[in-house]
Amino acid sequence: MAKELVVPLVPGVWRIPLVRDLVNGFILRDDDGQVTLIDMGLSSSGPRVMAALGAIGAGPSDVTRLLLTHAHPDHAGGAAHVGRETGRGFTIHHDDAAYAAEGSAPPRDHTFLLGRLFDRFSRPGRDFEPVTVEHEMVDGEVLPIAGGLRVVHTPGHSPGHVSLLHEESRTLITGDAIFNVLGLRWSVRSFCTDFRMSQQTAHRLGELDYDLAAFTHGAELRNRPREAIRSFLLKHRTT
Ligand SMILES: [Zn+2]
């Protein structure tokens, strides 16, 4: 059986499983047919993002906006390809914009040996192909996408990491603030700029209202996701 190109979440919102359920992108479609793509996976994922578009009956010319939750190679890796195919620039939080534009991941947490090691090998343009940044988003901004997409700044994983709340469909995209891989868990600490800050800012996700939680790493939670996230945050409280 062919691997599915898209997973419908709610009407007008799909998950793109780019590496099984381990690495995901997302599609939002407005009522008028305009399409927004969120996160483009690894450097090899670009064609798969474009194939996912076809799977919902859309094409490159329907894409009007491209978003990145943050400037890491497993999210921005396929971005340059998708940018070329659609002719569009990217929206990313102000604090990650310069990294996206030069193709480098933000600094890693030097509290951890691996974080220090990764940084030694990080050079501009070598983490992923640089992307064209068209708009720098900020916390609280409601992007004019599919009835409104709220930017929730959750820094720590990277300085400009964002989660995204689609208020109309009550769908939260956590980004890498929380993973759902073999259960809810924190992101990989040595990839974070400030792991502790990522734990602290993730608490913002417990305060939002949503009926579905989608993850950039892992499958979505459809059953009382807010309660699940709140109890995860409570159990893993950081002071
Ligand atoms: Zn990341």
Side-chain angles (χ1 to χ4, degrees):
M1 196 178 86
K3 276 189 257 166
E4 56 197 349
L5 289 168
V6 290
V7 176
L9 298 183
V10 294
V13 185
W14 294 262
R15 174 165 63 90
I16 314 173
L18 292 168
V19 183
R20 289 173 291 160
D21 292 344
L22 293 175
V23 178
N24 299 313
F26 297 92
I27 305 175
L28 272 73
R29 182 155 60 189
D30 293 29
D31 291 341
D32 63 4
Q34 289 188 64
V35 169
T36 298
L37 296 171
I38 303 173
D39 281 4
M40 316 295 143
L42 303 156
S43 61
S44 56
S45 302
R48 200 168 170 85
V49 173
M50 299 310 295
L53 263 184
I56 67 157
S61 61
D62 296 312
V63 176
T64 49
R65 305 177 199 89
L66 300 172
L67 263 65
L68 292 173
T69 58
H70 63 297
H72 274 171
D74 54 334
H75 298 256
H81 176 88
V82 175
R84 277 192 295 273
E85 293 288 313
T86 59
R88 298 287 175 178
F90 278 81
T91 295
I92 187 165
H93 187 276
H94 171 75
D95 296 342
D96 267 21
Y99 299 109
E102 69 175 21
S104 66
R108 275 79 163 198
D109 194 329
H110 283 201
T111 316
F112 308 111
L113 172 66
L114 275 177
R116 295 196 292 275
L117 271 176
F118 287 138
D119 267 1
R120 288 188 52 187
F121 296 104
S122 181
R123 299 281 183 280
R126 291 224 319 226
D127 291 323
F128 54 89
E129 200 180 332
V131 305
T132 304
V133 177
E134 187 178 83
H135 177 68
E136 299 183 10
M137 53 183 158
V138 295
D139 184 50
E141 186 175 351
V142 179
L143 302 164
I145 291 169
L149 186 65
R150 181 173 296 276
V151 177
V152 183
H153 190 204
T154 42
H157 184 73
S158 75
H161 180 276
V162 300
S163 307
L164 297 163
L165 182 65
H166 187 229
E167 291 174 323
E168 197 172 281
S169 69
R170 299 175 59 84
T171 299
L172 172 72
I173 297 174
T174 63
D176 282 12
I178 300 177
F179 284 19
N180 185 29
V181 177
L182 304 173
L184 295 181
R185 62 184 59 243
W186 298 120
S187 69
V188 181
R189 62 183 192 176
S190 46
F191 290 159
C192 292
T193 299
D194 185 333
F195 179 60
R196 199 160 176 76
M197 187 195 287
S198 79
Q199 294 177 302
Q200 285 158 353
T201 61
H203 281 263
R204 294 195 73 186
L205 305 184
E207 306 306 318
L208 306 171
D209 277 324
Y210 45 89
D211 296 326
L212 187 147
F215 301 84
T216 34
H217 299 289
E220 49 284 347
L221 286 180
R222 296 174 183 271
N223 182 27
R224 298 167 68 84
R226 186 169 186 259
E227 287 77 358
I229 284 178
R230 286 178 78 110
S231 79
F232 169 80
L233 292 168
L234 204 65
K235 233 186 300 175
H236 299 83
R237 193 197 297 272
T238 51
T239 44

CSV table of all heavy atoms in Angstrom, one decimal, residues 128-154:
chain,number,residue,atom,x,y,z
A,128,PHE,N,21.1,23.8,6.3
A,128,PHE,CA,20.1,23.6,5.3
A,128,PHE,C,20.3,24.7,4.3
A,128,PHE,O,21.0,25.7,4.5
A,128,PHE,CB,18.7,23.7,6.0
A,128,PHE,CG,18.4,24.9,6.8
A,128,PHE,CD1,17.8,26.0,6.2
A,128,PHE,CD2,18.7,24.9,8.2
A,128,PHE,CE1,17.6,27.1,7.0
A,128,PHE,CE2,18.4,26.0,8.9
A,128,PHE,CZ,17.8,27.1,8.3
A,129,GLU,N,19.6,24.5,3.2
A,129,GLU,CA,19.7,25.5,2.1
A,129,GLU,C,19.0,26.8,2.5
A,129,GLU,O,17.9,26.8,3.0
A,129,GLU,CB,19.0,25.0,0.8
A,129,GLU,CG,19.5,25.7,-0.4
A,129,GLU,CD,18.8,25.1,-1.7
A,129,GLU,OE1,18.4,23.9,-1.7
A,129,GLU,OE2,18.6,25.9,-2.6
A,130,PRO,N,19.7,28.0,2.4
A,130,PRO,CA,19.0,29.2,2.9
A,130,PRO,C,17.7,29.5,2.2
A,130,PRO,O,17.5,29.1,1.1
A,130,PRO,CB,20.1,30.3,2.5
A,130,PRO,CG,21.4,29.6,2.4
A,130,PRO,CD,21.0,28.2,1.9
A,131,VAL,N,16.8,30.1,3.0
A,131,VAL,CA,15.5,30.4,2.4
A,131,VAL,C,15.2,31.9,2.4
A,131,VAL,O,15.8,32.7,3.1
A,131,VAL,CB,14.3,29.7,3.2
A,131,VAL,CG1,14.6,28.2,3.3
A,131,VAL,CG2,14.2,30.3,4.6
A,132,THR,N,14.3,32.3,1.5
A,132,THR,CA,13.9,33.7,1.4
A,132,THR,C,12.9,34.0,2.5
A,132,THR,O,11.8,33.4,2.5
A,132,THR,CB,13.3,34.0,0.0
A,132,THR,OG1,14.3,33.6,-1.0
A,132,THR,CG2,13.0,35.5,-0.2
A,133,VAL,N,13.2,35.0,3.3
A,133,VAL,CA,12.2,35.3,4.4
A,133,VAL,C,11.4,36.6,3.9
A,133,VAL,O,12.0,37.6,3.5
A,133,VAL,CB,12.9,35.7,5.7
A,133,VAL,CG1,11.9,36.1,6.8
A,133,VAL,CG2,13.7,34.4,6.2
A,134,GLU,N,10.1,36.4,3.9
A,134,GLU,CA,9.2,37.5,3.4
A,134,GLU,C,8.6,38.2,4.5
A,134,GLU,O,8.3,39.4,4.4
A,134,GLU,CB,8.2,36.8,2.5
A,134,GLU,CG,7.3,37.6,1.7
A,134,GLU,CD,6.4,36.8,0.9
A,134,GLU,OE1,5.3,36.4,1.4
A,134,GLU,OE2,6.7,36.5,-0.3
A,135,HIS,N,8.3,37.5,5.6
A,135,HIS,CA,7.6,38.2,6.7
A,135,HIS,C,8.1,37.6,8.0
A,135,HIS,O,8.2,36.4,8.1
A,135,HIS,CB,6.1,37.9,6.6
A,135,HIS,CG,5.3,38.5,7.7
A,135,HIS,ND1,5.2,39.8,8.0
A,135,HIS,CD2,4.6,37.9,8.8
A,135,HIS,CE1,4.4,40.0,9.1
A,135,HIS,NE2,4.1,38.9,9.6
A,136,GLU,N,8.4,38.5,9.0
A,136,GLU,CA,8.9,38.1,10.3
A,136,GLU,C,7.7,38.2,11.2
A,136,GLU,O,7.2,39.3,11.5
A,136,GLU,CB,10.1,38.9,10.7
A,136,GLU,CG,11.2,38.8,9.8
A,136,GLU,CD,12.5,39.5,10.2
A,136,GLU,OE1,12.5,40.0,11.4
A,136,GLU,OE2,13.4,39.7,9.4
A,137,MET,N,7.2,37.0,11.8
A,137,MET,CA,6.0,37.1,12.6
A,137,MET,C,6.5,37.3,14.1
A,137,MET,O,7.6,37.1,14.5
A,137,MET,CB,5.2,35.8,12.5
A,137,MET,CG,5.9,34.5,12.7
A,137,MET,SD,4.7,33.1,12.4
A,137,MET,CE,5.9,31.8,12.0
A,138,VAL,N,5.5,37.8,14.9
A,138,VAL,CA,5.8,38.1,16.3
A,138,VAL,C,4.7,37.5,17.1
A,138,VAL,O,3.6,37.2,16.6
A,138,VAL,CB,5.9,39.6,16.6
A,138,VAL,CG1,7.1,40.2,15.9
A,138,VAL,CG2,4.6,40.3,16.2
A,139,ASP,N,5.0,37.4,18.4
A,139,ASP,CA,4.0,36.8,19.4
A,139,ASP,C,2.7,37.5,19.3
A,139,ASP,O,2.6,38.7,19.3
A,139,ASP,CB,4.6,36.8,20.8
A,139,ASP,CG,3.7,36.1,21.8
A,139,ASP,OD1,3.3,34.9,21.5
A,139,ASP,OD2,3.3,36.7,22.8
A,140,GLY,N,1.6,36.7,19.3
A,140,GLY,CA,0.2,37.3,19.4
A,140,GLY,C,-0.3,37.7,18.1
A,140,GLY,O,-1.5,38.0,18.0
A,141,GLU,N,0.5,37.8,17.1
A,141,GLU,CA,0.0,38.1,15.7
A,141,GLU,C,-1.0,37.1,15.3
A,141,GLU,O,-0.8,35.9,15.5
A,141,GLU,CB,1.2,38.2,14.8
A,141,GLU,CG,0.9,38.7,13.4
A,141,GLU,CD,2.2,38.8,12.6
A,141,GLU,OE1,3.3,38.7,13.1
A,141,GLU,OE2,2.1,39.0,11.4
A,142,VAL,N,-2.1,37.5,14.6
A,142,VAL,CA,-3.0,36.6,14.0
A,142,VAL,C,-2.8,36.7,12.5
A,142,VAL,O,-3.2,37.7,11.9
A,142,VAL,CB,-4.5,36.9,14.5
A,142,VAL,CG1,-5.4,35.9,13.8
A,142,VAL,CG2,-4.6,36.8,16.0
A,143,LEU,N,-2.2,35.7,11.9
A,143,LEU,CA,-2.0,35.7,10.5
A,143,LEU,C,-3.3,35.5,9.8
A,143,LEU,O,-4.1,34.7,10.2
A,143,LEU,CB,-1.0,34.6,10.2
A,143,LEU,CG,0.4,34.7,10.9
A,143,LEU,CD1,1.1,33.3,10.8
A,143,LEU,CD2,1.2,35.8,10.3
A,144,PRO,N,-3.5,36.2,8.7
A,144,PRO,CA,-4.7,36.1,7.9
A,144,PRO,C,-4.8,34.8,7.1
A,144,PRO,O,-4.8,34.8,5.9
A,144,PRO,CB,-4.7,37.3,7.0
A,144,PRO,CG,-3.3,37.6,6.8
A,144,PRO,CD,-2.5,37.2,8.0
A,145,ILE,N,-4.9,33.7,7.8
A,145,ILE,CA,-4.8,32.4,7.2
A,145,ILE,C,-6.0,31.6,7.6
A,145,ILE,O,-6.2,31.4,8.8
A,145,ILE,CB,-3.5,31.7,7.6
A,145,ILE,CG1,-2.3,32.3,6.9
A,145,ILE,CG2,-3.6,30.2,7.2
A,145,ILE,CD1,-0.9,31.9,7.4
A,146,ALA,N,-6.8,31.1,6.7
A,146,ALA,CA,-7.9,30.2,7.0
A,146,ALA,C,-8.7,30.7,8.2
A,146,ALA,O,-9.0,29.9,9.1
A,146,ALA,CB,-7.4,28.7,7.3
A,147,GLY,N,-9.0,31.9,8.2
A,147,GLY,CA,-9.9,32.5,9.2
A,147,GLY,C,-9.1,33.0,10.4
A,147,GLY,O,-9.7,33.5,11.4
A,148,GLY,N,-7.8,32.9,10.4
A,148,GLY,CA,-7.0,33.4,11.5
A,148,GLY,C,-6.1,32.3,12.1
A,148,GLY,O,-6.6,31.3,12.6
A,149,LEU,N,-4.8,32.5,12.1
A,149,LEU,CA,-3.8,31.6,12.7
A,149,LEU,C,-3.0,32.4,13.7
A,149,LEU,O,-2.2,33.3,13.3
A,149,LEU,CB,-2.9,31.0,11.6
A,149,LEU,CG,-2.0,29.9,12.0
A,149,LEU,CD1,-2.8,28.6,12.5
A,149,LEU,CD2,-1.1,29.5,10.8
A,150,ARG,N,-3.1,32.1,15.0
A,150,ARG,CA,-2.5,32.8,16.0
A,150,ARG,C,-1.1,32.3,16.3
A,150,ARG,O,-0.8,31.1,16.4
A,150,ARG,CB,-3.3,32.8,17.3
A,150,ARG,CG,-2.7,33.6,18.5
A,150,ARG,CD,-3.6,33.6,19.7
A,150,ARG,NE,-4.9,34.3,19.4
A,150,ARG,CZ,-5.0,35.6,19.5
A,150,ARG,NH1,-4.0,36.4,19.8
A,150,ARG,NH2,-6.2,36.2,19.2
A,151,VAL,N,-0.1,33.3,16.4
A,151,VAL,CA,1.3,33.0,16.7
A,151,VAL,C,1.5,33.0,18.2
A,151,VAL,O,1.2,33.9,18.9
A,151,VAL,CB,2.2,34.0,16.0
A,151,VAL,CG1,3.7,33.8,16.3
A,151,VAL,CG2,2.0,34.1,14.5
A,152,VAL,N,2.0,31.8,18.7
A,152,VAL,CA,2.3,31.7,20.1
A,152,VAL,C,3.8,31.4,20.2
A,152,VAL,O,4.2,30.3,19.9
A,152,VAL,CB,1.5,30.5,20.7
A,152,VAL,CG1,1.7,30.4,22.2
A,152,VAL,CG2,0.0,30.7,20.5
A,153,HIS,N,4.5,32.5,20.6
A,153,HIS,CA,5.9,32.4,20.7
A,153,HIS,C,6.3,31.4,21.9
A,153,HIS,O,5.9,31.7,23.0
A,153,HIS,CB,6.5,33.8,20.9
A,153,HIS,CG,8.0,33.8,20.8
A,153,HIS,ND1,8.7,34.8,21.4
A,153,HIS,CD2,8.9,33.1,20.2
A,153,HIS,CE1,10.0,34.7,21.2
A,153,HIS,NE2,10.2,33.6,20.4
A,154,THR,N,7.0,30.3,21.6
A,154,THR,CA,7.4,29.4,22.6
A,154,THR,C,8.9,29.2,22.5
A,154,THR,O,9.4,28.1,22.0
A,154,THR,CB,6.7,28.0,22.5
A,154,THR,OG1,6.6,27.7,21.1
A,154,THR,CG2,5.3,28.1,23.1
